[in-house]
Amino acid sequence: MDKKFNTYQLHLKEKALKNGVSDGKTLEFQFENHDDILQLVDLVKSKELFKKQTDNVEFLVGLKLFSEVMLRNRDHEMFTEFGPEFGIFMKKFKSYVKMAKTVEQT
């Protein structure tokens, strides 16, 4: 039996807040995604998409979380206008990743 989705566990821990107060709160949840997110993280880390390497990871993880929710809820009124534009964006993003310079491994 083939699975259609990969399952992930995300753990988010509050490290420091801009107001200087931090309770060390955490958020943990499990989710599914049709893509191999960790493989995609490795791919974008190997490219020069953004100047800061952490921006590459933040962007990709956020994009994959958002896009999977949008796909599951594509008929929701929030996405009726945005859905087609997002499809155009994703094609452009995938093309950009493919064409982006590979970071030299040291």
Side-chain angles (χ1 to χ4, degrees), residues 47-100:
K47 301 289 185 163
E48 290 184 344
L49 301 179
F50 300 105
K51 290 179 183 176
K52 283 179 55 182
Q53 186 59 259
T54 56
D55 286 350
N56 292 317
V57 176
E58 286 180 53
F59 178 76
L60 182 84
V61 172
L63 179 66
K64 296 315 300 173
L65 288 170
F66 173 78
S67 63
E68 197 70 30
V69 170
M70 193 179 79
L71 285 171
R72 284 195 307 266
N73 296 280
R74 65 175 51 99
D75 294 331
H76 193 285
E77 63 187 49
M78 270 195 308
F79 300 127
T80 53
E81 292 179 16
F82 183 63
E85 298 300 323
F86 187 75
I88 293 168
F89 167 79
M90 285 302 295
K91 287 178 185 172
K92 184 176 182 178
F93 172 67
K94 289 176 182 180
S95 174
Y96 187 81
V97 169
K98 186 183 265 189
M99 300 301 290

Side-chain angles (χ1 to χ4, degrees), residues 1-53:
M1 180 166 85
D2 291 333
K3 281 181 59 175
K4 293 184 178 186
F5 296 97
N6 302 305
T7 305
Y8 297 94
Q9 182 85 18
L10 185 68
H11 179 84
L12 186 67
K13 182 178 180 183
E14 179 182 283
K15 298 292 280 183
L17 297 179
K18 62 184 177 183
N19 65 5
V21 179
S22 177
D23 296 334
K25 293 179 184 176
T26 62
L27 169 67
E28 192 166 334
F29 64 97
Q30 187 170 304
F31 65 98
E32 294 181 331
N33 195 286
H34 70 277
D35 285 320
D36 182 338
I37 294 176
L38 298 177
Q39 181 181 24
L40 292 173
V41 165
D42 288 342
L43 175 63
V44 298
K45 284 171 67 176
S46 75
K47 301 289 185 163
E48 290 184 344
L49 301 179
F50 300 105
K51 290 179 183 176
K52 283 179 55 182
Q53 186 59 259

